[in-house]
């Protein structure tokens, strides 16, 4: 490792620690059964038409974190959703979440700009789907700097990040842990072990990814891989729900 790689690594660790320990909104998890959620960042069309169809076939629903500023564009995660896709997503019972309007970097963006982008996403969505509600959020690109974590926490029931692990015992609603599937897309065993561990510890495992495609971008997965994860999750004793609904059940005093 050269000196600049060392600096990048140390700074990355500093960012993660700071994001973890500041502006926490910790609640106790009351669930007596494990939970799994499937989430997609950016809402590429393939996440709905391929990933969503796989979930739907298993009787499951996911959470799609959308930046309305990316609508109708082609991005690093593939073709992004068009307005009609929002209608289809909601009609199928999936959850629409917020990812800021402009897909703002969660560390480098000025807090005021970040906050405006959250509000703009809500506003533009309300012009497309008047009764839509965005109660779940995921941080774009990076772990949040503390001031951004504080702002996001004001507007949403939950804010999801990464961390490649599951939530257990207590959860920071401003910093839900998630596991990005594409980082282990050649290693299904790691994922199966994580599902087993989540079930053993009555945790909440939130999977995240972007596109689901036969030619996935570096940020996505193959359909057969994704389906294997869905099938293994379905065969576990976990309850599988979109983030908003899972959170409601996890926080209930008496859940099954
Ligand atoms: Zn994103």
């Amino acid at each position: 490792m050269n000196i600049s790689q060392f600096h990048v690594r140390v700074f990355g660790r500093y960012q993660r620690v700071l994001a973890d320990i500041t502006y926490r909104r910790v609640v106790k998890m009351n669930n007596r059964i494990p939970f799994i959620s499937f989430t997609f960042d950016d809402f590429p069309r393939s996440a709905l038409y391929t990933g969503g169809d796989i979930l739907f076939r298993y009787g499951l629903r996911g959470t799609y974190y959308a930046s309305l500023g990316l609508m109708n564009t082609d991005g690093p995660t593939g073709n992004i959703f068009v307005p009609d896709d929002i209608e289809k997503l909601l009609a199928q019972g999936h959850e629409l979440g917020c990812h800021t309007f402009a897909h703002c970097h969660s560390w480098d963006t000025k807090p005021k700009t970040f906050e405006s982008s959250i509000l703009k996403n809500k506003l533009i969505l309300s012009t497309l789907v008047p009764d839509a509600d965005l109660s779940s959020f995921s941080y774009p690109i990076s772990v949040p700097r503390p001031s951004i974590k504080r702002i996001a926490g004001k507007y949403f029931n939950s804010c999801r990040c990464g961390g490649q692990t599951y939530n257990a015992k207590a959860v920071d609603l401003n910093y839900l842990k998630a596991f990005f599937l594409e980082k282990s897309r050649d290693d299904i065993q790691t994922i199966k072990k994580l599902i087993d561990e989540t079930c053993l510890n009555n945790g909440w495992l939130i999977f995240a990814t972007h596109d689901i495609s036969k030619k996935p971008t570096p940020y996505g997965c193959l359909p057969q891989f994704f389906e294997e994860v869905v099938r293994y999750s379905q065969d576990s004793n976990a309850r599988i729900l979109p983030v908003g609904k899972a959170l409601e059940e996890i926080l209930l005093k008496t859940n099954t």
Side-chain angles (χ1 to χ4, degrees):
M1 194 191 317
N2 65 36
I3 193 78
S4 72
Q5 285 169 325
F6 177 74
H7 280 145
V8 167
R9 191 174 283 193
V10 169
F11 185 62
R13 172 138 185 78
Y14 159 79
Q15 288 176 305
R16 287 193 297 277
V17 169
L18 212 58
D20 203 4
I21 63 172
T22 52
Y23 296 110
R24 289 164 69 82
R25 188 165 38 129
V26 179
V27 291
K28 191 171 161 278
M29 291 170 62
N30 296 311
N31 52 305
R32 296 187 192 125
I33 51 164
F35 282 77
I36 294 176
S37 300
F38 286 92
T39 71
F40 305 89
D41 282 2
D42 302 359
F43 187 180
R45 302 197 80 196
S46 67
L48 178 62
Y49 289 92
T50 306
D53 277 3
I54 291 169
L55 289 175
F56 205 75
R57 271 198 275 118
Y58 286 79
L60 305 173
R61 305 293 183 272
T63 300
Y64 293 73
Y65 295 102
S67 295
L68 274 93
L70 298 183
M71 192 164 61
N72 296 316
T73 66
D74 239 347
T77 54
N79 287 329
I80 306 300
F81 68 99
V82 301
D84 284 352
D85 297 338
I86 298 179
E87 224 167 280
K88 173 172 164 134
L89 179 143
L90 295 172
Q92 287 195 342
H94 297 293
E95 176 185 20
L96 189 67
C98 180
H99 202 42
T100 72
F101 178 80
H103 201 252
C104 299
H105 195 289
S106 302
W107 190 275
D108 294 342
T109 307
K110 285 195 175 122
K112 271 209 162 18
T113 310
F114 199 91
E115 185 164 22
S116 305
S117 199
I118 285 174
L119 294 171
K120 189 169 179 185
N121 213 36
K122 284 179 179 261
L123 181 71
I124 301 293
L125 179 66
S126 71
T127 63
L128 295 172
V129 190
D131 54 349
D133 179 38
L134 295 173
S135 59
S136 304
F137 177 82
S138 78
Y139 294 104
I141 307 171
S142 143
V143 299
R145 75 164 52 237
S147 50
I148 289 209
K149 188 181 175 192
R150 184 182 67 78
I151 284 166
K154 287 198 300 185
Y155 292 101
F156 301 98
N157 293 344
S158 72
C159 304
R160 200 221 69 213
C161 202
Q164 300 308 90
T165 187
Y166 59 96
N167 306 277
K169 292 193 176 88
V171 62
D172 179 358
L173 297 177
N174 293 347
Y175 198 66
L176 300 184
K177 303 275 176 21
F179 186 94
F180 278 90
L181 284 170
E182 65 267 25
K183 293 189 181 174
S184 289
R185 66 185 187 184
D186 301 316
D187 182 13
I188 190 82
Q189 287 314 322
T190 291
I191 292 165
K192 289 181 175 176
K193 260 173 66 183
L194 194 70
I195 293 171
D196 292 346
E197 213 183 298
T198 302
C199 290
L200 211 62
N201 294 300
N202 267 351
W204 180 19
L205 174 57
I206 304 173
F207 286 120
T209 191
H210 299 84
D211 51 304
I212 305 290
S213 156
K214 284 186 177 145
K215 282 189 180 163
T217 72
Y219 312 101
C221 305
L222 286 167
Q224 38 293 31
F225 170 85
F226 183 72
E227 183 159 358
E228 201 174 345
V229 178
V230 171
R231 196 183 309 120
Y232 197 84
S233 301
Q234 182 80 313
D235 289 344
S236 76
N237 65 333
R239 189 153 158 66
I240 304 171
L241 288 173
V243 167
K245 286 191 176 154
L247 185 62
E248 271 175 35
E249 295 211 4
I250 285 166
L251 299 184
L252 279 180
K253 280 276 177 278
T254 48
N255 53 24
T256 47

